[in-house]
Amino acid sequence: MADENSLRERLIDAGVDLVLNEGSASVGLRETARRAGVSHGAPRRYFPTHHSLLSAIAHRGFQDLGARFEAAVADVATPRGRLEALAHVYVGYALERRGMFELMFRHDLLDSTPQASDRPRLRESTLPLFGHITELVARCRSEQDAARRTDGPDGTVPPPAVVAAALWSNLHGIAQLWAWGSLQLALGSTALEGGPEDGQRDRLIATVLDAHLGPVTPCP
């Protein structure tokens, strides 16, 4: 059994390497087998379809991103601070591991069939991330309401899940448009005034958080 698991992990390792270096379009069962140094038919024992192999690779990506999230928020106490930390990790991960990031959210490519008990459907792997963002948005709102001494938002304020969806969409957009060079082109000289690229992305992330959560109110 240990050898079986080892071979499965070796195939996934080879697939991860392909995704990171050549993109998800380069991943096939035969090429993955060749990279792993096994027979062409070996991957079929663990991944009956191309989608199931891509899903296993994407699962690795979610594990990696989750570990980075945990490390980033380990010493952060406030929900706003945790959201900010997650936002920076999310955009940074997208730019550092572009092939993996693009695969992880291509739900049309990921396998939605039930997996073994320890492997949930891969299309559902984004749900814990979204749930965590929603929870932090709700906590931010509660703290803001307490600071204003109100009983909660009125009916015109969207629920936390809608705010979380908009926030996530904005962060994903920053990541993709920056990777393509579109934001730099759109901002033009405005971007150059802000200094290094990392600083420009930080400003964009801060602006997104302010737009969806409100600006940080300084303590009196």
Side-chain angles (χ1 to χ4, degrees), residues 4-188:
E4 291 288 306
N5 287 335
S6 176
L7 178 54
R8 183 181 187 278
E9 293 304 307
R10 219 166 87 211
L11 289 164
I12 298 173
D13 287 342
V16 168
D17 185 65
L18 276 167
V19 167
L20 292 178
N21 290 294
E22 301 178 32
S24 59
S26 67
V27 179
L29 294 173
R30 289 175 66 88
E31 178 60 17
T32 301
R34 189 185 72 79
R35 293 286 184 104
V38 298
S39 68
H40 289 164
R44 293 284 183 185
R45 292 160 54 188
Y46 312 98
F47 310 109
T49 66
H50 182 221
H51 283 191
S52 61
L53 173 59
L54 290 175
S55 295
I57 295 168
H59 187 67
R60 280 279 191 86
F62 280 111
Q63 288 178 320
D64 183 18
L65 183 58
R68 294 182 188 215
F69 281 160
E70 288 183 14
V73 303
D75 299 318
V76 183
T78 67
R80 175 67 176 246
R82 292 172 76 88
L83 271 174
E84 183 176 357
L86 293 181
H88 284 286
V89 169
Y90 190 83
V91 173
Y93 186 87
L95 298 176
E96 177 189 339
R97 301 174 79 82
R98 285 184 61 181
M100 180 65 79
F101 183 81
E102 291 174 4
L103 172 63
M104 287 162 60
F105 299 97
R106 284 292 306 274
H107 288 179
D108 57 320
L109 294 181
L110 300 182
D111 192 0
S112 63
T113 57
Q115 307 293 315
S117 59
D118 62 333
R119 299 188 185 100
R121 297 181 184 187
L122 263 295
R123 287 189 185 180
E124 297 169 2
S125 292
T126 53
L127 295 181
L129 165 64
F130 180 66
H132 189 46
I133 295 174
T134 302
E135 177 190 359
L136 290 173
V137 167
R139 288 175 57 193
C140 283
R141 181 174 291 173
S142 295
E143 289 190 357
Q144 290 168 343
D145 292 340
R148 299 183 189 122
R149 293 182 172 83
T150 64
D151 294 329
D154 59 40
T156 63
V157 178
V162 174
V163 176
L167 174 59
W168 180 22
S169 298
N170 274 185
L171 293 175
H172 201 88
I174 288 174
Q176 290 286 28
L177 292 173
W178 194 276
W180 295 333
S182 302
L183 281 176
Q184 298 91 316
L185 177 64
L187 289 170

Side-chain angles (χ1 to χ4, degrees), residues 181-200:
S182 302
L183 281 176
Q184 298 91 316
L185 177 64
L187 289 170
S189 60
T190 303
L192 299 178
E193 293 170 4
E197 286 195 351
D198 287 351
Q200 285 299 316

